[in-house]
Amino acid sequence: MKKIKWNDVRLVLMLGAVIFLFSFSSKRNESRMLKKVDIKFADTEAFITRDKVNKLLIQNYGSVTGIRKDRLDLNSVEKSLDTDPMIDKAEVFATVDGRLEAVVSQRKPIARIYKGGNSYYIDYKGRVMPLSDNYTARVPLVTGEIDSAEQDKLHMLLRYISDDDFLKKNIIGIEVYPTGGLRMLSRNYDFDIVFGRPINIEKKFNNYKAFLQDAVRDTLIENYKTINLKFTQQVVCTKK
């Protein structure tokens, strides 16, 4: 008879014990009842409340507490939350101590549209987003003949403003003319910004920033009625 290799036997027994314990703990974990729902937000805005997220869960699943972990389809829970127009993405998972955690990322509005008596947001991805009863976003108000503008280029312009710390604080209103051209309003100064069509966006805004630096330095900023950015080679100003 061959000599028994006890080290190998011990190794097999240890491996078997580990598999058994892992399987036992996994089954016990899966059979745990969910005891609590914990909702967290990935951003600081509050377009949707924890109560509203809870109601969405209840509408689709009743009370999620008291359900066995292995009986709850987490992908379905995420998809049901993602259908809400205030939510961009929800990540849902169950913890080992029986909590259902939902991490909610809200949509990011970049403009408020006023069209035909209706008002709504446009979010960063170009989707329509309803106004919130809980929170008002500080974004430019877009009015006028909105359908006259090239929508993809208008969205690019709004994203550009949203991504720029200075412009996001400075530009408070945009009016769309029937020609598709744009007129903007400044938060800090009493002049109109004639932007023209939403093309050469970066060049025009760079010209605007350079003009502001010079005008503030020369203390002439309050003397202007319009700032025309339509010509990318120069800024044309009209005095009051």
Side-chain angles (χ1 to χ4, degrees):
M1 293 180 61
K2 294 184 177 179
K3 186 177 180 180
I4 298 175
K5 297 182 178 179
W6 291 107
N7 286 337
D8 291 345
V9 173
R10 280 194 291 267
L11 182 61
V12 171
L13 292 174
M14 289 174 61
L15 183 60
V18 169
I19 293 173
F20 171 77
L21 291 173
F22 178 78
S23 176
F24 176 77
S25 62
S26 295
K27 287 186 177 296
R28 188 175 180 182
N29 181 46
E30 289 174 357
S31 64
R32 279 182 182 271
M33 307 296 276
L34 293 171
K35 301 175 182 177
K36 181 182 177 182
V37 178
D38 189 7
I39 299 166
K40 299 178 181 178
F41 292 100
D43 19 51
T44 56
E45 290 82 3
F47 298 107
I48 187 171
T49 64
R50 286 179 172 81
D51 286 343
K52 178 64 182 298
V53 177
N54 259 324
K55 287 179 181 178
L56 289 172
L57 292 171
I58 292 170
Q59 286 172 7
N60 289 280
Y61 300 97
S63 177
V64 293
T65 56
I67 299 176
R68 278 180 45 163
K69 289 175 65 175
D70 58 347
R71 300 280 173 84
L72 188 64
D73 186 344
L74 297 179
N75 286 331
S76 296
V77 177
E78 289 180 347
K79 289 178 181 178
S80 68
L81 293 178
D82 288 346
T83 59
D84 188 89
M86 296 295 184
I87 295 176
D88 183 42
K89 180 66 178 174
E91 297 182 0
V92 181
F93 54 93
T95 64
V96 292
D97 58 350
R99 287 181 297 115
L100 182 71
E101 287 201 1
V103 180
V104 176
S105 298
Q106 300 169 91
R107 290 190 183 185
K108 179 184 177 182
I110 57 175
R112 180 170 177 171
I113 309 296
Y114 185 79
K115 176 182 174 183
N118 296 319
S119 189
Y120 55 89
Y121 293 124
I122 291 294
D123 78 357
Y124 197 80
K125 296 180 180 178
R127 300 168 297 186
V128 172
M129 176 181 171
L131 302 183
S132 170
D133 295 331
N134 307 299
Y135 187 84
T136 301
R138 296 186 66 181
V139 292
L141 176 64
V142 183
T143 59
E145 303 295 325
I146 296 169
D147 291 337
S148 299
E150 297 179 66
Q151 298 303 306
D152 57 338
K153 291 181 179 178
L154 178 60
H155 182 236
M156 286 177 57
L157 178 137
L158 294 172
R159 283 183 60 153
Y160 191 93
I161 293 174
S162 177
D163 288 337
D164 188 285
D165 288 337
F166 171 76
L167 295 174
K168 182 165 56 176
K169 297 175 183 176
N170 185 263
I171 305 299
I172 60 172
I174 300 174
E175 181 181 0
V176 183
Y177 290 132
T179 58
L182 308 177
R183 178 180 72 94
M184 301 182 184
L185 299 177
S186 168
R187 183 185 306 277
N188 303 316
Y189 303 107
D190 186 27
F191 52 63
D192 292 343
I193 305 166
V194 181
F195 195 87
R197 292 172 55 238
I199 57 175
N200 301 314
I201 295 169
E202 183 175 5
K203 178 62 176 175
K204 289 180 180 180
F205 276 132
N206 284 341
N207 287 347
Y208 175 61
K209 291 178 182 179
F211 157 77
L212 280 183
Q213 287 183 343
D214 291 338
V216 170
R217 188 182 305 117
D218 295 337
T219 66
L220 298 174
I221 194 73
E222 301 295 339
N223 297 334
Y224 294 112
K225 180 180 180 181
T226 61
I227 311 299
N228 193 327
L229 305 176
K230 290 167 64 176
F231 312 102
T232 56
Q233 300 305 316
Q234 60 181 337
V235 176
V236 179
C237 303
T238 303
K239 290 188 176 181
K240 296 178 180 178

